[in-house]
Structures are given as structure tokens and as C-alpha cells.
Amino acid sequence: MGDDVLSPRIKALFESDDPAASEARLWAELRKDGTPLIERCPDDPQACLVTFLWKADRPVEQVRVVETVSGLPPQRRSLAPAPGTATRFLTWRIRTDVRTTYSFEIVDASGVEHVPDPYARVREAHDFAALATPGVPPLRSVLVCPDAAPLSWADRRPDVPRGTVVEGTYDDGRQVWTYLPPGHDEPSAPLGVLVVLDGHAGHSASTVLDNLHAEGKILPTAALFVQQDDRNKELACDAEWSRHLAEDLLPWARRRHPLTSDPAATVITGCSLGGLCAAYTGLTHPDVFGGVLMLSGSVWWDPDTLRAYARLADPTAAAADPAATVVGGRSRTPVLIDEFMRADPVPTRIYQEVGTFETGPPPATPGQVHASRHLRDVLTLKGYDYRYREFAGGHDETWWRSRLGDGLIWLRGSGADA
């Protein structure tokens, strides 16, 4: 990400003797080719010029781009009006391998509205409950720079057989959906298990599993999509919830479906807080979960950090207890890292991915990527069998949907790809 610059196409619009006619030609091309506008950076082969564009159909006060990679304040994400036109634009230098979900924040007299880019060349139906935002459409706009890594495991393929998803209600009333791979309704041997936290019936992991099975990339694997009642409690290194998963919920599922009890074939996965819980559960119950698949796991998490941040953000708390809101207090090692440091190594294999640009926002201190690197170093020193990767993005489902497949190939691979 670099300083704001002026796109050659937008520069031509500024210099036109007839801005309205130039604007009409520009938007005719954009409607055909899609947005944002992506141009190679003439002085840097590893960067491109990305121009986010919005054509106002009503008076607006501001249009801001919302994405997962810049970490910039609102004023640096605002689109500027092109004089004599209804077009607003914002051009950034961006690395050519970046991929990010984005949307627009429209501010007008009636309030703030979040909308996808109506002309986005790439759109995805995102479904991870961890990032669900009220009022934001599920069809998300995605910026894919020219050298971004291809992602395909989560794309529905018309020629691939689909597994079945069976709904069930667990003893405590929560919903649990079970995915069974195609042709394995009555398998000759128990199926491997993938426990998906923040689960729901339409989770794209079903498509990922269908594609992996069709290509023979993984051994036959079922999935349990587990609904969270209170994710901020259950997924935050909660010993009782992890015990519940290992000792209650999995045996319940095995009584209903032909699922293995072999820990080497049992994987737990989640993104964000779900990734934190997956790693904590794998550490504390290695006799049940032999594989952990973390996608942008919230390794930074610590209750003291959250409490301090809440006090700083609450003026009434600051007034009531000024000493408790001192800036600069030392933070302790995040809980998950501390747990792995203190515990003897366990035979659980760990696949960990995080975005290179996951450096915040608060209260993620240390930043997600920095905490993840710390955990990676601890796993190295402890001698774990693990794989660590970073992707050129932020805290973003557009990466998680497909990288789930890469992690499963490593953890459940059927051959050379394992």
C-alpha cells in the first residue's frame, strides 16, 4: 500500500475539455470491464495502481472504501469528486499480489449505508458467520490484483458430485449440521471428521470438501458444522467448551453417523476467534483432535488486553477509576502462546495461515500477524509438526474460503499432496 496517486485514466478525465463526455466514455468501459480500475505502475513492477470508483446517483457527503489491507483512517479512505462529473475516485499503489474484500460506505443526510461495488468484476457470496455484518449484503466485492494467488477450492463446480448436509439438534438445543461426502452415506470404514466452529447449514466448507473429494486430494472426510451460542465466550480459550466438544459433542455425532474416533483423522478448524479455539482445543485434547486448521486465528487474544481497551474506550470508566486507564501499561503474553509455551508438546499437527496485513485494529495488540509469528516460533522450538503460511491479504473470508482446502490437503491428504 502506498501514498495516494493519480491514475492515468483519471488524470485524462481531469484534463478533458469535455468532462461529461469523458466521464460517459469511462463508465461505458467500466460497466463492460468491471471495477475497480487496475493499471500497472510504470515505475514499480511489483505495484499496481488501483482506483476505486463510485458514480453518485444522489447527493452524498462522503464515499469511503472499506477493505481489509490498508488500516488507514476514514479520511484516507475517502473518494474525491472529479470536477465537473458525478464520479468519485481514490487511487492507491497496491502490491500486485494483494486480494481483498471491499465495500463502500456512503454517508448522506439520512445516515451511513454499506453497499457492495455495483460494477465489481469479482463477487463472492461470503458465508462465514464470524464476519457477518448486519445490513451488509452477503454478496461481497473482491479486488484481485494481477499477481494474486489463484483461489478455487470454494468455487462451486457444476460437474462435481455434491455431498449431503443433515441437520440435527444437539442436547443443549444448538444446531449441528453434518456433511457426508458423495457416495459415503454408508461407508465401509469410518469417515474422517472436520469440526467447523461458527458453523451453519450453508457454510462453503461443504463445497471445498466436495471439490477435494472429487480430485482425490483428501481421504473421505465428514464435517460437523457447530453453531455458536456465545462465540465471544465459547471460542476464547474456554476450557469447558473445549472439553464439551471433545467429550460430549463428538461422541453424540458418532452415535448418529459413521465417524472415526481416530485423533489422527479428526481435525478442528475455525477462523478468527474460531481459529484461537481450534488451537486451544487441539492443545488441551490431543487424544481427540490430532489436527488443527487455524485461519487468521486470534492468537493476540488476552482478557487483560480486552479489559484495558474497554476501560480506555469508556469515558465513564475512566472517570470512575483514572488509575485503571493508564496508557502504556505492560501487556502479558497472549493466552494461547503462553499455554503452548508452558505445556509439554502434544502430537497434534497444526496448519496455520494469517494475512500479512493483519496488524490491527485495536484491541488486537500485538497485531494478529505478529502474534501468529510468535506462536510459529514457539511451535518451532517445541518441535511441533506444523505448517505456517501468510497470504497477501487481511482478516478476510475471501482467503479463508479456499485456504481451508489447502490446510485439509496437508492434514488429510491422500497422497503426494499431503
Side-chain angles (χ1 to χ4, degrees), residues 2-7 49 51 89-93:
D3 294 335
D4 300 353
V5 291
L6 193 60
S7 152
L49 300 180
T51 303
F89 72 96
L90 174 64
T91 302
W92 282 337
R93 287 175 183 257

Side-chain angles (χ1 to χ4, degrees), residues 293-355:
L293 205 170
M294 300 176 68
L295 299 169
S296 294
S298 298
V299 182
W300 62 268
W301 183 86
D302 183 83
D304 284 356
T305 300
L306 288 173
R307 282 191 288 268
Y309 180 76
R311 287 194 298 266
L312 284 169
D314 183 353
T316 59
D321 187 5
T325 59
V326 173
V327 176
R330 295 184 182 275
S331 62
R332 66 183 185 184
T333 301
V335 168
L336 183 69
I337 296 173
D338 189 56
E339 292 280 349
F340 272 95
M341 288 173 61
R342 291 189 296 105
D344 291 333
V346 299
T348 299
R349 303 172 69 217
I350 300 172
Y351 182 96
Q352 181 186 7
E353 288 226 21
V354 66

Side-chain angles (χ1 to χ4, degrees), residues 399-416:
W399 288 96
W400 302 340
R401 297 166 72 245
S402 192
R403 289 299 176 91
L404 174 71
D406 296 334
L408 285 172
I409 290 171
W410 188 73
L411 290 164
R412 293 283 297 142
S414 58

Side-chain angles (χ1 to χ4, degrees), residues 53-410:
L53 294 136
W54 177 265
K55 189 172 184 181
D57 57 359
R58 64 186 188 276
V60 296
E61 297 173 11
Q62 284 194 57
V63 178
R64 295 188 286 257
V65 65
V66 180
E67 32 63 49
T68 69
V69 296
S70 75
L72 293 172
Q75 64 270 22
R76 292 290 308 282
R77 295 185 282 102
S78 293
L79 280 63
T85 73
T87 298
R88 289 178 177 250
F89 72 96
L90 174 64
T91 302
W92 282 337
R93 287 175 183 257
I94 299 182
R95 273 177 34 179
T96 58
D97 60 348
V98 166
R99 178 190 297 262
T100 179
T101 300
Y102 72 98
S103 61
F104 290 119
E105 194 173 60
I106 312 299
V107 183
D108 60 19
S110 62
V112 179
E113 179 184 10
H114 293 267
V115 298
D117 184 346
Y119 301 110
R121 60 170 60 85
V122 179
R123 304 183 193 187
E124 296 173 349
H126 286 189
D127 53 37
F128 275 61
L131 291 185
T133 304
V136 176
L139 192 63
R140 308 300 297 275
S141 315
V142 183
L143 162 65
V144 182
C145 290
D147 300 326
L151 302 178
S152 63
W153 291 123
D155 295 338
R156 171 63 60 193
R157 304 175 188 177
D159 57 336
V160 166
R162 302 178 67 169
T164 57
V165 177
V166 181
E167 182 176 0
T169 302
Y170 182 58
D171 297 345
D172 63 1
R174 81 177 66 230
Q175 299 301 107
V176 178
W177 296 266
T178 304
Y179 162 92
L180 298 172
H184 289 87
D185 295 329
E186 296 182 3
S188 56
L191 297 165
V193 184
L194 173 68
V195 174
V196 181
L197 302 169
D198 279 318
H200 57 88
H203 201 291
S204 57
S206 295
T207 300
V208 172
L209 287 163
D210 287 343
N211 291 333
L212 293 175
H213 285 127
E215 291 197 21
K217 295 290 187 182
I218 63 171
L219 297 167
T221 302
L224 299 177
F225 299 103
V226 182
Q227 181 188 61
Q228 305 307 145
D229 287 345
D230 182 353
R231 68 186 308 271
N232 288 323
K233 178 182 183 300
E234 292 172 344
L235 302 182
C237 298
D238 184 87
E240 175 55 26
W241 169 248
S242 294
R243 185 210 63 77
H244 185 63
L245 286 171
E247 299 179 8
D248 299 332
L249 193 142
L250 260 180
W252 171 85
R254 291 190 188 109
R255 291 193 293 270
R256 288 156 176 76
H257 303 286
L259 309 180
T260 186
S261 58
D262 179 6
T266 305
V267 176
I268 183 168
T269 187
C271 59
S272 197
L273 277 177
L276 174 76
C277 178
Y280 177 79
T281 304
L283 173 65
T284 54
H285 296 278
D287 56 325
V288 177
F289 296 102
V292 167
L293 205 170
M294 300 176 68
L295 299 169
S296 294
S298 298
V299 182
W300 62 268
W301 183 86
D302 183 83
D304 284 356
T305 300
L306 288 173
R307 282 191 288 268
Y309 180 76
R311 287 194 298 266
L312 284 169
D314 183 353
T316 59
D321 187 5
T325 59
V326 173
V327 176
R330 295 184 182 275
S331 62
R332 66 183 185 184
T333 301
V335 168
L336 183 69
I337 296 173
D338 189 56
E339 292 280 349
F340 272 95
M341 288 173 61
R342 291 189 296 105
D344 291 333
V346 299
T348 299
R349 303 172 69 217
I350 300 172
Y351 182 96
Q352 181 186 7
E353 288 226 21
V354 66
T356 298
F357 304 113
E358 294 194 60
T359 55
T365 51
Q368 192 104 291
V369 66
H370 305 304
S372 296
R373 291 169 182 168
H374 188 175
L375 177 61
R376 171 200 62 191
D377 294 344
V378 170
L379 296 177
T380 300
L381 292 171
K382 289 281 188 174
Y384 275 85
D385 183 10
Y386 78 98
R387 177 169 293 185
Y388 175 87
R389 296 173 66 187
E390 291 183 14
F391 50 79
H395 201 66
D396 197 334
E397 180 183 344
T398 191
W399 288 96
W400 302 340
R401 297 166 72 245
S402 192
R403 289 299 176 91
L404 174 71
D406 296 334
L408 285 172
I409 290 171
W410 188 73

